[in-house]
Amino acid sequence: MQYRTGVLEWIRTHPRHFDATIAVVLLVANLAGMSSRGYAGMTFREPDLASFVLNVLCAAPLAFRRQSPVLVAIVSITSYMALGFFDYNSFGGSVAMPIAIYTLGTSAATVPGLAITLASGTASVVYLAVNREQLAAAGVEPNVWYFGSQFVITTGLWIIGRTVRARRLYLNDLEDRADRLERTATAELRAALAEERTRMARELHDVVAHHVSVMTVQAAAARRMIDRSPERSAEAMLAVEETGRAALVEMRRIVAALRSVDADEAAAGGQPDLTPQSGVAELEPLVTRAKEAGLEVDLTVVGEPRQLPSGVDLAIFRVVQESLTNTLTHAGPTRAAVLLRYEPDAVVVGVTDDGGRRRGGQGRAIPSDRPGHGLVGMRERVTLNGGTLRTGPRSVGGFEVQARLPLEEASQ
């Protein structure tokens, strides 16, 4: 089986070498059979220069059958018919003619190919009619059915070639379509990543701008109070230091996010989003809006709430927002649960849904190899804040999104 597979692969990857091999084999068979004076009760003429040339023209052109199928078919079939009508022996011609007709079927020349095929079938019937006596002496009954079968065989070879050509074109079209879909999916994924990173960069820019503004105010206050109240000046400078550290953390994230920012948007004069930044405090209104949209959702907070870094605070809100949006989009009206858990060194947020099982559904699952843009954006946002995101179908049905965002790294 491996040997056969290797041969087929060689034929597919080296079509010209394969055609040349066929031409050489048939040419050797023709030249070797020239000296035979009889076959199956039929008598042939003594070989001469004309028979040599016709035998060469019958087999050799097959080496170029893919490049010039019409010309090769005309030369090869005409030479083979001439050998038969002049009573010359052509041992390999009976193979060369079917190959030439089949090649016509696989080529793009539909009308010339069909015309040559019909002419070849007609010529075969005429040849058999002219040599009826020799066929009868060889034990072949030259009736109408026998003549018709020769014509049907010749035409059938061309039809087989057309079928093979149609299948090849269909498979090529499927491959091209698959390549286009793959390129489109890749482009959409990259565009989603760029769009989400641009959005995060703008949001983080607003956060850092706030920190810088606080630092400026505190530094100005410290400068004015340095002579009158050194203690209060020291407190102000301490506030500047703490705010600066927080700003540096956000700046590190901005550098990562801005690597994929689309410069064309800035050149187009796009207006920045000046709406207030969302966070954990906005989860209750978000859950309320989801309920109004038809989603039964509960919010549970575990642990002692604390002040979170701006980037982490925003990431939690976006994860919950995108998860609830996906639940409404993919599962419809169903039940969902939002869990916010404060840990000593991290904060964990999870969103689960039952996939509409109360309505008789089977739940939903987003394929891991073709993630949606929402999941891509969530993963980018969580990773940017040093966290991890886990998504996938639940064993009991439905879908789960869980993000863990460390607080130690965010506070460094």
Side-chain angles (χ1 to χ4, degrees):
M1 182 63 67
Q2 292 181 354
Y3 172 76
R4 292 179 59 187
T5 303
V7 171
L8 293 176
E9 182 65 20
W10 179 84
I11 293 174
R12 188 182 67 83
T13 56
H14 301 83
R16 294 188 178 182
H17 295 169
F18 176 67
D19 293 343
T21 302
I22 292 178
V24 170
V25 171
L26 293 180
L27 180 59
V28 171
N30 279 358
L31 297 179
M34 284 176 55
S35 58
S36 176
R37 299 294 303 280
Y39 174 76
M42 300 184 66
T43 304
F44 302 109
R45 295 174 55 180
E46 187 75 22
D48 52 18
L49 180 61
S51 65
F52 175 82
V53 173
L54 290 175
N55 274 287
V56 171
L57 292 177
C58 179
L62 292 178
F64 309 97
R65 66 187 183 95
R66 299 176 196 265
Q67 292 85 345
S68 303
V70 175
L71 180 60
V72 168
I74 292 175
V75 174
S76 181
I77 296 174
T78 301
S79 301
Y80 174 65
M81 290 297 175
L83 287 169
F85 279 107
F86 290 109
D87 295 331
Y88 289 119
N89 187 13
S90 178
F91 183 77
S94 56
V95 179
M97 178 178 170
I99 292 177
I101 294 176
Y102 169 80
T103 304
L104 282 175
T106 59
S107 69
T110 303
V111 176
L114 180 58
I116 295 173
T117 301
L118 295 177
S120 301
T122 303
S124 298
V125 172
V126 172
Y127 170 78
L128 295 175
V130 172
N131 294 274
R132 295 181 62 179
E133 296 181 358
Q134 295 189 34
L135 292 173
V140 178
E141 183 64 28
N143 53 28
V144 176
W145 296 110
Y146 180 76
F147 293 153
S149 64
Q150 302 301 312
F151 190 86
V152 170
I153 291 174
T154 303
T155 308
L157 287 171
W158 183 82
I159 294 175
I160 292 174
R162 299 307 296 177
T163 304
V164 171
R165 171 180 169 78
R167 179 172 177 80
R168 288 176 181 173
L169 293 176
Y170 175 71
L171 292 178
N172 290 337
D173 182 67
L174 289 181
E175 292 177 357
D176 292 341
R177 189 176 304 175
D179 291 339
R180 288 195 300 270
L181 290 176
E182 184 177 358
R183 289 194 298 267
T184 301
T186 302
E188 290 179 352
L189 180 60
R190 291 177 178 174
L193 290 174
E195 181 181 357
E196 188 64 23
R197 288 175 180 173
T198 302
R199 183 180 179 184
M200 287 187 292
R202 288 175 175 173
E203 293 169 345
L204 291 174
H205 170 268
D206 293 342
V207 172
V208 174
H210 169 74
H211 289 317
V212 173
S213 298
V214 172
M215 291 170 60
T216 302
V217 173
Q218 294 289 347
R223 179 179 57 80
R224 288 194 298 267
M225 293 184 299
I226 191 170
D227 294 329
R228 293 177 297 173
S229 180
E231 295 81 5
R232 295 182 62 184
S233 177
E235 293 177 359
M237 293 306 298
L238 179 60
V240 170
E241 180 183 359
E242 292 176 351
T243 306
R245 291 182 184 276
L248 286 176
V249 172
E250 304 298 343
M251 285 297 296
R252 294 191 189 102
R253 295 170 184 157
I254 288 176
V255 171
L258 287 178
R259 290 175 180 173
S260 300
V261 172
D262 190 358
D264 293 340
E265 185 173 349
Q271 296 296 324
D273 186 6
L274 300 179
T275 57
Q277 299 300 318
S278 302
V280 173
E282 302 295 325
L283 290 183
E284 283 286 356
L286 177 64
V287 169
T288 301
R289 291 193 297 270
K291 290 180 179 179
E292 294 175 352
L295 179 65
E296 298 183 23
V297 56
D298 299 321
L299 173 63
T300 303
V301 179
V302 179
E304 185 66 25
R306 73 191 75 169
Q307 187 68 29
L308 299 175
S310 303
V312 174
D313 196 30
L314 179 60
I316 292 174
F317 178 83
R318 294 304 185 196
V319 167
V320 176
Q321 182 185 49
E322 189 64 42
S323 298
L324 294 180
T325 301
N326 285 342
T327 299
L328 283 170
T329 302
H330 298 288
T334 180
R335 180 178 295 278
V338 179
L339 172 65
L340 180 63
R341 184 173 71 250
Y342 291 93
E343 298 180 350
D345 58 347
V347 59
V348 178
V349 58
V351 181
T352 59
D353 65 65
D354 61 11
R357 291 185 292 110
R358 293 181 296 104
R359 296 179 292 107
Q362 299 298 322
R364 62 175 171 83
I366 298 177
S368 59
D369 58 339
R370 294 293 297 275
H373 293 171
L375 294 181
V376 172
M378 279 192 286
R379 192 173 301 279
E380 282 289 317
R381 187 179 297 277
V382 172
T383 303
L384 187 64
N385 287 277
T388 57
L389 180 70
R390 181 168 58 87
T391 63
R394 304 167 61 199
S395 59
V396 295
F399 201 77
E400 178 182 17
V401 175
Q402 186 180 87
R404 187 178 189 277
L405 297 159
L407 298 180
E408 290 183 354
E409 181 178 344
S411 62
Q412 290 178 354

